[in-house]
Amino acid sequence: SPVREVLFFPSRVTCVESLLAEEEEAAAAATPCACLLPHGESALGRLLARVLSARRSLDLCVFAFSNPQLGRAVCLLHQRGVHVRVVTDTDYMALKGSRIGELRRAGIQVRHDQDSGYMHHKFAIIDKKMLITGSLNWTTQAIQNNRENLLVVEDRDCVNLFLAEFERIWEDYNPT
Amino acid sequence: SPVREVLFFPSRVTCVESLLAEEEEAAAAATPCACLLPHGESALGRLLARVLSARRSLDLCVFAFSNPQLGRAVCLLHQRGVHVRVVTDTDYMALKGSRIGELRRAGIQVRHDQDSGYMHHKFAIIDKKMLITGSLNWTTQAIQNNRENLLVVEDRDCVNLFLAEFERIWEDYNPT
Ligand SMILES: [Zn+2]
Ligand SMILES: [Zn+2]
């Protein structure tokens, strides 16, 4: 099915360090991690693995972004040469814990809404081919405490409709 | 494709009275409506048509529900004998404009979260076969002002995963 995966939250808290380990650290990461968190599967781990599978592009359109692990994943992709673009909501961007400043300092292109309404989408498009969308904001509160869902979709028509929506928003929020 | 339709918001404001007309009013509704709103297609009209297509059951799991037209649609389904169940978030339920009181007074079963986190889902399952899910809360603010998305999915495995999530939440929020 083009619906590749469904993730429900809250996610149990697990260690995701091995997913976030850079290649130079891969040997180190292969040795068992000594931290006190469980090291099995989790919804956050599954989401991180999908995001980190990007090889060419990540187009991210998310109302609220404060989760540190997802912030590290997006910065890692940028360091690896993946073309990352981020759209977010102005109101949330200013709140404590937002990752948006960190992304900008890393050199990632970020645009934010100029509208009176909220930019309330929560979707990511990986390599123009895979859509991750649902109710989940990229916040630790949502991941660990809320009832949330995400779909991973590889239907071409559906992904193209979301890509077109991303491009519309990207242009609408062009500050120049 | 099992992804039947993608809807983006904000929706232009159109008249949806003909969609909401009961059968006894169908003749009246067939005469051109004299109101001042445009009478063409809109994302809200498409969503209402999907909701009103229910013949057996509506399982609705939505964080915030204040839109009057969607409230009327859900009450109409209940009047037609469709089995309606609603799950919502406690915090939003108490706010001005919430439709939840109206649904309860109409005799519709409503349950709300007992958790510390938010019940942040925004999905509906029609006749156990069609899933409507995305970023959109069922509020007029979201429909008319926000950037939002909805997917209409008829993938059986995906729908069944959401049905199981609904049943888990329905039992978790059982007040007895
Ligand atoms: Zn660890
Ligand atoms: Zn009218």
Side-chain angles (χ1 to χ4, degrees), chain A residues 7 11 20 34 42 45 53 69 71 76 78-79 83 104 106 111 128-129 151 153 164 172 175:
Chain A
L7 298 173
S11 171
L20 288 165
S42 67
S53 75
Q69 288 82 25
L76 258 181
H78 173 70
Q79 286 164 27
H83 184 217
R104 284 203 160 122
R111 293 185 181 174
K128 319 281 185 204
K129 289 189 314 199
L151 299 182
V153 178
D172 283 357

Side-chain angles (χ1 to χ4, degrees), chain B residues 28-175:
Chain B
T31 64
C33 177
C35 87
L36 295 175
L37 293 172
H39 289 81
E41 289 251 305
S42 67
L44 174 59
R46 303 287 306 162
L47 170 58
L48 277 167
R50 293 287 187 182
V51 170
L52 288 164
S53 75
R55 291 293 167 265
R56 292 193 188 150
S57 64
L58 170 68
D59 296 309
L60 176 62
C61 192
V62 66
F63 173 68
F65 190 169
S66 67
N67 179 259
Q69 287 81 26
L70 284 162
R72 283 169 60 195
V74 172
C75 287
L76 259 181
L77 291 178
H78 173 69
Q79 285 164 27
R80 290 175 185 168
V82 172
H83 184 216
V84 177
R85 295 186 292 176
V86 177
V87 167
T88 194
D89 189 76
T90 309
D91 294 339
Y92 192 86
M93 193 171 63
L95 295 189
K96 191 161 156 280
S98 170
R99 304 328 303 174
I100 297 297
E102 170 185 315
L103 299 185
R104 283 202 160 124
R105 284 189 297 276
I108 293 169
Q109 294 175 277
V110 179
R111 292 185 183 175
H112 55 85
D113 70 311
Q114 325 278 330
D115 306 342
S116 57
Y118 289 119
M119 202 309 294
H120 201 246
H121 288 303
K122 307 102 171 42
F123 70 82
I125 305 168
I126 311 291
D127 293 339
K128 319 283 185 203
K129 288 189 314 200
M130 181 197 292
L131 171 69
I132 305 171
T133 190
S135 66
L136 185 85
N137 282 302
W138 286 22
T139 72
T140 304
Q141 153 72 23
I143 291 165
Q144 293 185 2
N145 299 310
N146 291 0
R147 303 272 190 161
E148 304 273 5
N149 67 77
L150 282 181
L151 299 182
V152 179
V153 178
E154 289 191 294
D155 179 86
R156 195 172 65 178
D157 291 343
C158 174
V159 173
N160 285 344
L161 289 167
F162 276 82
L163 268 174
E165 173 74 354
F166 186 92
E167 297 296 347
R168 268 193 301 274
I169 295 177
W170 188 251
E171 284 317 310
D172 282 358
Y173 295 176
N174 189 339

Side-chain angles (χ1 to χ4, degrees), chain A residues 127-156:
Chain A
D127 294 339
K128 319 281 185 204
K129 289 189 314 199
M130 182 197 291
L131 170 69
I132 305 172
T133 190
S135 67
L136 185 85
N137 283 301
W138 285 23
T139 71
T140 303
Q141 152 73 22
I143 291 164
Q144 293 185 2
N145 298 309
N146 291 0
R147 302 273 191 159
E148 306 272 6
N149 65 79
L150 281 181
L151 299 182
V152 179
V153 178
E154 288 189 296
D155 178 88
R156 195 172 64 179

Side-chain angles (χ1 to χ4, degrees), chain A residues 61-63 87-89 113 117-121 169 173, chain B residues 147:
Chain A
C61 193
V62 68
F63 173 68
V87 167
T88 193
D89 189 76
D113 71 311
Y118 289 119
M119 203 310 293
H120 201 245
H121 288 304
I169 295 177
Y173 296 175
Chain B
R147 303 272 190 161

